[in-house]
Amino acid sequence: MTKNNTEDGDDTDTRMPPDPFAAVLPALAALGAITSIAAVNWAGQEKVASRTRTKRKTSASLRDLETCCMGLAEIFRRFQKHPRVFAGGGGQASAPLKFGVHGQRIRADAQRLYLQLMNDIASMLVLATQNAFDVMTAVEDRDIDAPEEIFIGFGEQQERLNEIIQSRVPLGVAVETGGDVADNLVTLVRELKKHQKAG
């Protein structure tokens, strides 16, 4: 017996999964946590001198944040490989970003993919938030002394994410944009790594 492709094949044994936006939204939120690094270049100037310093090494925080960005880029690639499940493929392709309009019946292999991706996304959201916080702390403590242009780059990616929400773009556009933002964040974090202080 041959195994059918996730996107095609026999649809007689299908189930209704949770809303695909329930997977895409937390993945976008993880990207948003990372893009919030943009704000620390300005708001971080108001720190209190007696503030407790982090015990974590800046190099470890940056390395782990880079890994998060690469992991999120891979998650969005997985979304794109299965547009019928995650990217509003089929009749819902032009529907706006909204709960309740993108769900389709999917086969058992796609159901497993959905649950596996949700687990990966949940882990990535926690890690991205913690690592972004640690990197922002390192910027405040002057352990990273990067030029303003890098923070502007994070801000530009943040605006792209905001546009997804504000314009309620179709789910496929949200997935495509999220993937591109993730790739750009990998580059920006690598640039930040060049500006960490030795020691």
Side-chain angles (χ1 to χ4, degrees):
M1 183 182 287
T2 58
K3 186 175 180 182
N4 290 324
N5 183 279
T6 301
E7 301 303 329
D8 302 309
D10 183 20
D11 287 333
T12 57
D13 183 20
T14 60
R15 298 274 184 189
M16 191 71 186
D19 198 302
F21 189 34
V24 175
L25 184 60
L28 292 171
L31 294 175
I34 297 168
T35 63
S36 63
I37 289 171
V40 74
N41 190 49
W42 296 276
Q45 306 296 329
E46 302 167 9
K47 70 170 187 168
V48 177
S50 60
R51 190 175 62 80
T52 304
R53 292 177 61 89
T54 183
K55 295 178 182 177
R56 192 168 178 215
K57 288 188 176 180
T58 299
S59 58
S61 299
L62 285 164
R63 181 193 65 231
D64 291 348
L65 186 62
E66 180 184 7
T67 300
C68 279
C69 293
M70 292 188 295
L72 285 163
E74 177 58 26
I75 283 169
F76 278 93
R77 277 192 287 275
R78 287 160 71 190
F79 286 154
Q80 290 171 329
K81 285 179 187 175
H82 303 277
R84 188 163 177 252
V85 182
F86 295 106
Q92 299 89 347
S94 62
L97 200 61
K98 181 180 177 182
F99 288 111
V101 297
H102 298 287
Q104 300 187 56
R105 298 186 69 82
I106 59 175
R107 295 186 5 258
D109 49 354
Q111 295 162 30
R112 288 190 294 273
L113 171 71
Y114 185 100
L115 294 175
Q116 180 184 18
L117 260 171
M118 285 301 291
N119 186 60
D120 293 345
I121 293 162
S123 298
M124 203 59 66
L125 179 57
V126 173
L127 291 171
T129 303
Q130 181 62 60
N131 292 322
F133 177 82
D134 289 345
V135 168
M136 292 169 78
T137 299
V139 172
E140 283 191 273
D141 291 342
R142 303 292 186 258
D143 294 332
I144 299 171
D145 188 16
E148 191 171 286
E149 289 74 22
I150 294 177
F151 297 98
I152 290 171
F154 279 100
E156 288 170 347
Q157 300 311 308
Q158 189 175 59
E159 282 306 306
R160 294 182 69 195
L161 294 176
N162 286 334
E163 182 66 20
I164 290 173
I165 305 300
Q166 291 163 357
S167 299
R168 292 178 59 202
V169 299
L171 188 58
V173 174
V175 167
E176 182 180 343
T177 303
D180 191 53
V181 167
D183 287 337
N184 288 334
L185 289 176
V186 172
T187 302
L188 286 164
V189 172
R190 287 175 179 165
E191 285 298 312
L192 269 185
K193 287 172 73 174
K194 297 176 185 177
H195 299 282
Q196 60 180 308
K197 292 184 178 176

